[in-house]
Amino acid sequence: MSVEEDQRDTGNLMSVTTSGVVSSPASAPGSVKARLVILRGAQSGRRYPLDDHSSIGRGSSCTVQLEDAMASRKHALLQRLADGTWELIDMGSRNGTLLNGRQASTQPIRFGDHIQIGETVFLFSHADPLEERILHRQKLEAIGRLGAGIAHDINNVLGGILMNVDYVLGLGDRKLTDPEVRECLADLRAASLLGADLTRRILSVARRGAVEHVQIDLSALVNDTVEIARRSFDRSVKIERSVTPQVHVRGDRAHLQQMLMNLLFNARDAMPRGGTLAVSLGYARPSEVEPEAVAVAGHHARLVVADTGTGIDAATRQRIFEPFFTTKAADQGSGLGLATVMDVVTGHGGTIECDSRPNEGTSFRIVLPALMATARRERRTPLSMPRAETTSRSARVLVVDDEPLSRRSICRLLAREGHSTEAAGDGREALAIFETKGDEIDLVLMDLDMPELDGHATLVEMKRRKPGTRVVFLTGFVTDARKRELYESGALSVLHKPCDSVTLREALSMALSVSV
């Protein structure tokens, strides 16, 4: 019996497809949400939630946009009928649409069916709204376990800042050229940069938002995650790391980081008396990749997390990826850690294997489709162009930030650079200034999250009043999706707080040089 036939005979039972994705048969009208999961192709692992009429193709207007040269601009349509069932319609495509290996024109489709368009194979499955809740719960657990180590590091940073400030204030009339003063200032800057890096890593773990598969430097993600996890580990756990640089994949950054964090914490918990935790990232050998995937995706990334801990017996290994299964005490884990890992891996078109024996440690090996070197070009924004046209001319800058300390600091720095400034505490105040002095303002430097009127809404209104307004954002945190919205609305650059003077100067110089 084929996989598809088996899925049709399961009645109301849940079934697991060959990709590891749970599917179910059609239910009452409108009661089950649907999605497509790419099982094979250039975007392997990507998931697309479907509405009642979802188009598939290469065109920018399609719900599911493919990176497949064999797909037509508008290739196929999936639509939900009045009785709650679904049908697949080929929209007169050049190369046709296959449903479970057969040509389809207008065909009914059920959860578990496979759709092939060009070289891309989809799984049509239900979308479980509980998945994101489980992932978020796991993320909160990880953040809680990181808490003590992070608090320790933050206190070290703040302690260094306070002691150096008090020391400088107690020096009386000593000049800035005094070696001791310069040394204290250098330490203050180093502490600030350390705190900024720590905050960035915490935010990357805590981030919650829509799942989006984009190009990711997996090497940098692994290095960052290992560093932030290290801070909460006992010194008896030795961490060894071997990371091949510039290994790129397509996926969701937050989910991949959460997957690795779960594996790191599991390894730590398996070594209560200390041991060695080894993390390696490189490219997989052909023998480590399923044969049908080799020809489609090319290179594959291999991530290994291994410990020298207590190990796992054969019976337990059979159940470790089951949701809510755990061998830990009730107050030490929810049993969702490895289930989440499995969900993230399969959701990115990958595979995971566990090798373990009692008292001999445990090794998890994950293989994910990797991007070829020629495909690793980041999409450029206007300000990532060559810097040959930068200018250092003075300008009138409107600084918009709801934090007075930040606002004063920015204005003071800009004045030193030869710029004149106007300051506003929120978007509405900025628009009031813009109304009377808009023609005199060369550039707006603005925070994003502010009360009353946020930075994005302020940008839109400024552009409506004066389309040529140059706007640079300086914000503490912004998701990739929100950043794209800012660029689409006309922002020239998005900088992250805290920002050093060199970065700010270069961004403003470039913004003043571009044509708008």
Side-chain angles (χ1 to χ4, degrees):
M1 180 180 291
S2 69
V3 173
E4 288 77 21
E5 291 171 337
D6 181 61
Q7 289 162 344
R8 285 171 173 72
D9 292 340
T10 53
N12 291 322
L13 297 176
M14 302 296 286
S15 63
V16 180
T17 71
T18 54
S19 66
V21 181
V22 179
S23 63
S24 67
S27 302
S31 63
V32 179
K33 293 184 177 181
R35 70 180 176 190
L36 288 178
V37 181
I38 297 184
L39 300 181
R40 196 168 70 225
Q43 298 160 284
S44 179
R46 185 163 185 175
R47 307 176 184 193
Y48 295 89
L50 302 176
D51 53 32
D52 289 349
H53 294 83
S54 296
S55 55
I56 310 171
R58 289 189 296 108
S60 60
S61 63
C62 289
T63 309
V64 180
Q65 296 180 35
L66 294 183
E67 297 177 6
D68 191 323
M70 296 180 67
S72 300
R73 292 188 62 80
K74 289 187 177 180
H75 197 106
L77 175 71
L78 280 167
Q79 64 178 7
R80 189 199 300 266
L81 303 179
D83 62 358
T85 60
W86 288 79
E87 69 177 4
L88 171 68
I89 302 172
D90 183 88
M91 300 175 72
S93 64
R94 292 174 301 163
N95 300 308
T97 303
L98 299 181
L99 178 61
N100 299 324
R102 297 179 179 178
Q103 286 287 343
S105 53
T106 300
Q107 306 287 138
I109 185 170
R110 293 168 59 93
F111 293 146
D113 284 347
H114 290 184
I115 303 168
Q116 181 168 354
I117 293 176
E119 296 183 343
T120 306
V121 176
F122 296 95
L123 169 72
F124 178 67
S125 73
H126 81 295
D128 190 343
L130 293 178
E131 284 185 9
E132 280 301 308
R133 297 183 187 179
I134 290 175
L135 287 168
H136 187 58
R137 177 174 173 178
Q138 263 292 301
K139 187 181 297 183
L140 292 177
E141 288 184 4
I143 293 172
R145 299 170 82 178
L146 285 169
I150 297 301
H152 174 76
D153 280 353
I154 290 176
N155 282 334
N156 282 342
V157 169
L158 294 176
I161 291 174
L162 286 173
M163 283 186 286
N164 278 284
V165 168
D166 287 344
Y167 184 82
V168 171
L169 291 175
L171 290 177
D173 295 332
R174 302 274 280 276
K175 296 181 178 180
L176 286 177
T177 53
D178 189 298
E180 285 186 316
V181 175
R182 302 298 294 180
E183 183 178 332
C184 285
L185 293 176
D187 286 346
L188 284 170
R189 191 175 193 280
S192 299
L193 292 174
L194 178 60
D197 182 63
L198 185 59
T199 303
R200 176 183 62 81
R201 289 174 175 170
I202 295 171
L203 287 173
S204 71
V205 175
R207 170 185 154 194
R208 185 182 188 184
V211 177
E212 52 177 359
H213 282 227
V214 297
Q215 179 175 315
I216 293 171
D217 184 344
L218 188 60
S219 304
L221 185 146
V222 169
N223 284 326
D224 279 356
T225 307
V226 169
E227 282 302 313
I228 198 169
R230 185 197 299 273
R231 302 176 189 277
S232 65
F233 284 15
D234 189 272
R235 293 183 182 276
S236 62
V237 176
K238 178 184 178 183
I239 298 181
E240 297 178 348
R241 179 175 31 171
S242 175
V243 177
T244 299
Q246 297 293 311
V247 176
H248 288 243
V249 300
R250 185 181 298 279
D252 182 85
R253 179 180 300 277
H255 286 180
L256 288 171
Q257 188 167 46
Q258 186 175 344
M259 169 200 75
L260 179 55
M261 191 74 75
N262 287 356
L263 291 176
L264 294 177
F265 278 127
N266 264 23
R268 183 196 66 175
D269 293 344
M271 300 182 289
R273 298 180 182 177
T276 300
L277 170 57
V279 180
S280 65
L281 174 68
Y283 289 104
R285 297 184 295 272
S287 60
E288 297 175 300
V289 182
E290 294 182 2
E292 64 272 16
V294 174
V296 177
H299 287 312
H300 283 70
R302 180 189 63 210
L303 173 65
V304 178
V305 178
D307 65 66
T308 58
T310 54
I312 308 171
D313 61 53
T316 303
R317 280 204 313 276
Q318 298 299 316
R319 302 188 60 192
I320 56 175
F321 295 114
E322 294 179 12
F324 305 107
F325 174 77
T326 180
T327 58
K328 299 177 183 178
D331 61 345
Q332 292 182 346
S334 62
L336 294 174
L338 290 177
T340 300
V341 170
M342 171 63 82
D343 185 71
V344 172
V345 171
T346 56
H348 285 75
T351 60
I352 181 170
E353 293 181 358
C354 174
D355 182 19
S356 183
R357 291 175 180 77
N359 302 315
E360 294 184 17
T362 301
S363 174
F364 287 94
R365 186 184 69 197
I366 294 169
V367 176
L368 297 170
L371 296 178
M372 302 291 286
T374 55
R376 296 177 192 167
R377 300 188 186 97
E378 295 287 351
R379 180 176 297 175
R380 291 179 179 267
T381 61
L383 292 190
S384 60
M385 296 166 60
R387 296 180 177 178
E389 299 179 8
T390 59
T391 177
S392 59
R393 71 179 176 89
S394 61
R396 191 169 187 83
V397 181
L398 173 57
V399 178
V400 189
D401 198 306
D402 62 316
E403 172 54 53
L405 176 60
S406 178
R407 200 165 59 243
R408 289 196 306 270
S409 300
I410 294 171
C411 288
R412 187 182 300 124
L413 182 61
L414 292 179
R416 191 194 71 179
E417 297 292 328
H419 302 297
S420 59
T421 61
E422 294 281 347
D426 56 51
R428 295 197 185 282
E429 186 180 350
L431 289 177
I433 295 174
F434 197 77
E435 184 68 30
T436 59
K437 302 181 179 180
D439 292 337
E440 304 172 22
I441 293 172
D442 299 301
L443 184 142
V444 180
L445 180 61
M446 185 157 48
D447 192 11
L448 182 55
D449 294 312
M450 299 182 292
E452 298 294 330
L453 195 67
D454 70 12
H456 189 195
T458 306
L459 164 68
V460 171
E461 181 59 24
M462 287 180 172
K463 283 288 188 179
R464 187 188 68 81
R465 298 183 186 184
K466 183 183 175 183
T469 303
R470 293 178 170 87
V471 178
V472 171
F473 279 95
L474 181 58
T475 180
F477 180 67
V478 60
T479 63
D480 292 338
R482 199 174 184 192
K483 186 182 292 186
R484 282 197 300 271
E485 290 179 355
L486 294 175
Y487 283 127
E488 289 169 359
S489 297
L492 293 177
S493 185
V494 180
L495 307 177
H496 294 270
K497 292 180 179 177
C499 176
D500 61 54
S501 60
V502 174
T503 302
L504 180 61
R505 181 170 59 247
E506 290 182 349
L508 296 190
S509 179
M510 183 65 75
L512 290 168
S513 71
V514 298
S515 299
V516 291

